[in-house]
Amino acid sequence: EKARKLLKRKRDKEDDGKEEDPVDFEEQELAARVDDPNYIDPRFTFVKPGETVPTTELNFWMEKAKRKFNWGNNHPLIRAVARGIGVHHEGLHRGYRHLVETLFRFKHIRAVVCTSSLAMGVNMPCKTVVFAGDSEDLNPISYRQMMGRAGRRGFDNVGYIVFFGLSMRKATH
């Protein structure tokens, strides 16, 4: 929005024939990115500069997934991965789940929305596990598997488990 206002102000000044304000490089850079479809606003991403996989490695994995599934840059799952959000569901392609697992290990993906498919046999320890909503598949065995992901050995002293949308009775049993 700020970039659009800047462009409008510049057009108005050109029409008036008045001199322009001193150059603000930050505003110019922002204006240049408004029309870039691959631009990710840093306010709306989990990926922090310098804390992610190297760009060449990230591009390799992303291009591999896009080619394999014939997805473009605007596919919602690709856009989410670029912002540090992954989806892990048994109904998704195995290759995409592998992409999410790999980028999670590289610390590019910070939040994974998943089903119980992540609990069995996939090594993706995390700091916090959130149980959102109730399911008939949530039994004591699957609960223990999923909650066992909270707390990374060697990194965290404590793991956190959050219950959201579960009855207190089910959460305590």
Side-chain angles (χ1 to χ4, degrees):
E1 185 64 31
K2 183 178 176 183
R4 292 187 201 288
K5 287 180 182 177
L6 173 68
L7 290 173
K8 184 180 183 314
R9 193 174 357 144
K10 284 186 178 182
R11 274 188 248 124
D12 291 344
K13 286 182 182 179
E14 288 173 3
D15 292 342
D16 294 342
K18 296 180 182 175
E19 291 183 24
E20 291 188 24
D21 294 335
V23 176
D24 185 350
F25 292 108
E26 183 178 318
E27 285 184 359
Q28 280 186 345
E29 181 181 347
L30 185 61
R33 290 182 176 175
V34 166
D35 297 323
D36 182 7
N38 296 323
Y39 173 67
I40 298 172
D41 190 332
R43 298 173 298 170
F44 303 108
T45 181
F46 287 105
V47 180
K48 296 178 182 158
E51 293 185 7
T52 185
V53 61
T55 306
T56 54
E57 189 81 18
L58 177 63
N59 288 340
F60 168 78
W61 286 102
M62 296 286 277
E63 291 301 319
K64 183 177 176 182
K66 287 189 285 188
R67 272 193 319 272
K68 188 169 187 172
F69 310 123
N70 199 23
W71 291 348
N73 287 336
N74 284 332
H75 192 280
L77 294 176
I78 294 295
R79 292 176 60 202
V81 166
R83 288 166 173 76
I85 302 168
V87 178
H88 198 282
H89 185 279
E90 57 203 23
L92 292 170
H93 298 288
R94 169 76 181 110
Y96 176 76
R97 290 193 318 250
H98 181 68
L99 170 72
V100 170
E101 294 165 16
T102 302
L103 293 180
F104 184 83
R105 287 188 195 105
F106 276 124
K107 297 181 180 165
H108 176 80
I109 291 182
R110 300 296 179 115
V112 180
V113 179
C114 63
T115 60
S116 59
S117 66
L118 190 60
M120 303 293 187
V122 179
N123 184 20
M124 287 179 59
C126 56
K127 188 179 285 189
T128 305
V129 172
V130 178
F131 290 93
D134 198 358
S135 170
E136 63 273 356
D137 296 332
L138 185 59
N139 57 40
I141 294 171
S142 63
Y143 165 75
R144 284 187 60 84
Q145 283 290 327
M146 287 186 266
M147 69 124 186
R149 301 288 173 216
R152 301 164 298 173
R153 183 173 292 148
F155 294 103
D156 303 321
N157 293 329
V158 176
Y160 299 99
I161 301 169
V162 178
F163 293 101
F164 181 76
L166 279 173
S167 67
M168 181 61 82
R169 183 169 186 237
K170 186 156 187 177
T172 56
H173 290 338

